[in-house]
Amino acid sequence: RGVKSLPNCGMVAEESMKNCIFVERSWCKGCGLCASFCAKGVLELDGEGKAAVAHPELCVGCGTCERLCPDLAVAVSRMEEAS
């Protein structure tokens, strides 16, 4: 089984996961830009209005969420770069 360590994501055991998205909740102000512009619907706002990773398996690693976050609260790690 392909277990790898990704920055900010710990150990990832799912071989199908190509990318890992991390949201630093204490930095997130809940503007919703990351969720609004994610073409795959990976991110959603949770009950507290903060960004949350709802469907990590859908992430294609484009980095749009990371680039658009004005608070630098979203980070995308790519498996290929982390190995």
Side-chain angles (χ1 to χ4, degrees):
R1 193 140 167 117
V3 177
K4 296 184 179 189
S5 178
L6 295 178
N8 297 322
C9 294
M11 299 304 288
V12 176
E14 295 181 41
E15 292 180 21
S16 62
M17 279 187 65
K18 295 184 177 98
N19 306 295
C20 181
I21 298 183
F22 175 77
V23 177
E24 180 59 64
R25 290 183 50 81
S26 65
W27 297 358
C28 176
K29 67 181 170 201
C31 69
L33 285 172
C34 59
S36 295
F37 285 92
C38 179
K40 298 296 181 180
V42 175
L43 297 166
E44 295 177 356
L45 296 184
D46 65 13
E48 297 177 20
K50 303 269 188 168
V53 182
H55 305 283
E57 70 281 1
L58 300 177
C59 180
V60 295
C62 69
T64 298
C65 56
E66 188 174 32
R67 284 191 306 276
L68 289 177
C69 180
D71 300 308
L72 306 175
V74 181
V76 178
S77 296
R78 290 156 191 85
M79 278 280 213
E80 296 78 19
E81 295 174 2
S83 55

